[in-house]
Amino acid sequence: MDLTPQQKRALVEVYGQLPAWPDTTATLAALSEAGVRLAFLSNLGADMLLANMRSNGLDRWMDPPLSTDRVRAFKPSSGAYAMAPHHFGLPREEIGFVAFSGWDALGAKWFGFRTAWINRLGVTEETLTPHADAIASDLSAIAALRAP
């Protein structure tokens, strides 16, 4: 799709202002207060993610976003997921990954993360395995990711 520079800027601006899902604020606040470090790991650009975090007030609970721009590899590349263990200084098995899309949950699971798929749109689960450790239509699935 060909977009003019003005259309590209407008699209990026819209992504930076999208509202968070209703359960996001309370969930992130509770996780942060429990000592869980949080960061987006996204194929979106860092500037766009930061703008959205700030517009929704999420930046007070989260580390700066991990954009795949850093590694020049989009998810589900293992190079993209590898940013998280490096950033947090943790082995992959100790990281809980929360995905909006089934393919992202699958890629994160392949990489070795404990994974929750937040299937807000009710789409059919991927037929490939392994499956996410938890699946829900809201952030309640995150509870299943806590280390045993």
Side-chain angles (χ1 to χ4, degrees):
M1 174 191 287
D2 289 327
L3 298 175
T4 67
Q6 294 91 342
Q7 290 171 319
K8 288 178 185 177
R9 279 192 299 278
L11 182 59
V12 168
E13 187 175 316
V14 167
Y15 273 104
Q17 297 174 4
L18 290 174
W21 293 93
D23 57 344
T24 303
T25 300
T27 301
L28 295 184
L31 288 168
S32 179
E33 289 169 12
V36 176
R37 287 185 59 202
L38 306 164
F40 285 116
L41 194 159
S42 178
N43 286 336
L44 297 175
D47 291 344
M48 185 184 315
L49 291 164
L50 277 170
N52 187 276
M53 289 168 63
R54 289 178 182 138
S55 73
N56 285 290
L58 307 180
D59 55 323
R60 63 183 149 201
W61 300 298
M62 300 184 74
D63 287 6
L66 305 174
S67 169
T68 56
D69 289 349
R70 290 183 185 185
V71 294
R72 298 180 169 259
F74 288 116
K75 296 183 293 177
S77 165
S78 62
Y81 296 112
M83 288 188 295
H86 182 268
H87 175 79
F88 291 112
L90 295 170
R92 62 184 81 187
E93 298 82 14
E94 291 184 24
I95 294 176
F97 187 89
V98 181
F100 177 78
S101 60
W103 65 265
D104 197 10
L106 180 60
K109 190 68 180 169
W110 281 338
F111 184 73
F113 292 143
R114 291 187 321 275
T115 307
W117 175 28
I118 310 306
N119 186 4
R120 295 195 188 268
L121 304 179
V123 299
T124 304
E125 188 173 2
E126 298 286 338
T127 57
L128 298 172
T129 58
H131 299 285
D133 297 296
I135 300 172
S137 61
D138 59 27
L139 294 177
S140 65
I142 293 174
L145 300 183
R146 297 302 296 252

